[in-house]
Amino acid sequence: MQREFLKNLGLSDEAIDKVMAENGKDVNDIKTQLNTAETERESYRSQVEERDTQISQLKTNNTDNAELQKQLTDLQSQIQTKDSDATQQLSAAKKEFAVKLALKDSGTVNSDILFGQVNMDNVIIQDDGKISGLDDQVATFKESMPYLFQSTEEPAKPKIVAGGNPSTTSPATYDLSKMSYKEVAKLKAEQPEVFEQLTK
């Protein structure tokens, strides 16, 4: 989120500072979660490498025991499967964090609701970290769900009118008994509604 965008919405510097601070907290939370996930992945990877080394040593030292060799091969296969699963989970978490971060910068008022609408199968995180397949979806959401986005239009400015006491002059009153024939005829021609009320 950029300060200039908030300034264009007419927010004061104090309000902008508060919004930016809150947005910074969300971004930092997502970055912390991502760093934690990457640290855990590296820890698991080193554990798997250590086990692979131990399995290789066991295979070398126990070549005459066929049953043990089979168990070691099965164990190695399970470890590789778990490593593959962990890598996929980490990739999915990275993708989720990147999309949530991008949605926060898209001008949405609620990135969690919008995230639920994103088709993650169409989103691809490229090697350089850029996201493809999300901009089109966000553009569609802006058309179909504009209430989830901050308005980029200038807010309507209120019309201010000068205050004061209302006018105390009331419409003219007519007394037909004191009017001449010409005045009555003129009133009937120019203001037939008033004339009709007076003659009821």
Side-chain angles (χ1 to χ4, degrees):
M1 188 173 297
Q2 297 179 354
R3 293 183 72 86
E4 187 176 324
F5 173 76
L6 296 173
K7 201 161 215 161
N8 289 339
L9 291 176
L11 296 176
S12 68
D13 286 339
E14 183 181 336
I16 291 173
D17 290 341
K18 289 180 181 177
V19 170
M20 293 301 287
E22 193 62 34
N23 188 49
K25 286 180 192 173
D26 291 341
V27 170
N28 287 337
D29 287 346
I30 290 173
K31 285 182 179 178
T32 301
Q33 291 173 0
L34 182 59
N35 289 338
T36 302
E38 286 178 346
T39 303
E40 288 176 1
R41 180 190 68 168
E42 291 305 317
S43 171
Y44 292 140
R45 184 173 284 167
S46 65
Q47 290 175 17
V48 168
E49 288 172 359
E50 186 179 327
R51 285 186 196 132
D52 286 346
T53 304
Q54 291 172 349
I55 289 172
S56 295
Q57 289 173 350
L58 284 173
K59 276 186 176 180
T60 305
N61 297 337
N62 297 295
T63 53
D64 56 340
N65 190 339
E67 181 62 31
L68 182 59
Q69 288 292 325
K70 183 180 181 309
Q71 288 177 358
L72 290 173
T73 304
D74 291 345
L75 182 60
Q76 194 170 20
S77 174
Q78 290 174 10
I79 289 172
Q80 287 173 347
T81 302
K82 286 182 181 180
D83 187 40
S84 174
D85 290 347
T87 302
Q88 287 177 355
Q89 287 174 353
L90 183 64
S91 291
K94 268 186 171 178
K95 187 180 197 181
E96 181 179 327
F97 294 142
V99 168
K100 283 184 176 179
L101 196 57
L103 289 176
K104 283 190 178 295
D105 292 336
S106 71
T108 182
V109 294
N110 191 328
S111 58
D112 293 330
I113 291 175
L114 196 60
F115 178 76
Q117 301 298 318
V118 174
N119 182 350
M120 293 298 281
D121 294 336
N122 294 342
V123 177
I124 298 169
I125 307 296
Q126 298 173 354
D127 292 337
D128 60 359
K130 292 184 179 175
I131 303 171
S132 64
L134 182 63
D135 290 341
D136 295 339
Q137 292 186 59
V138 170
T140 303
F141 297 150
K142 283 184 178 180
E143 290 177 15
S144 62
M145 297 178 279
Y147 51 88
L148 286 178
F149 294 89
Q150 298 168 348
S151 174
T152 56
E153 298 173 5
E154 279 284 321
K157 299 202 178 195
K159 184 177 180 183
I160 300 173
V161 294
N165 292 333
S167 173
T168 56
T169 58
S170 56
T173 56
Y174 300 97
D175 187 357
L176 293 178
S177 63
K178 295 180 180 176
M179 294 173 71
S180 68
Y181 175 76
K182 282 185 178 182
E183 290 172 332
V184 172
K186 185 178 177 183
L187 177 65
K188 183 177 181 184
E190 292 178 359
Q191 300 179 17
E193 301 88 10
V194 174
F195 180 79
E196 189 176 316
Q197 288 178 355
L198 292 172
T199 55
K200 283 187 179 180

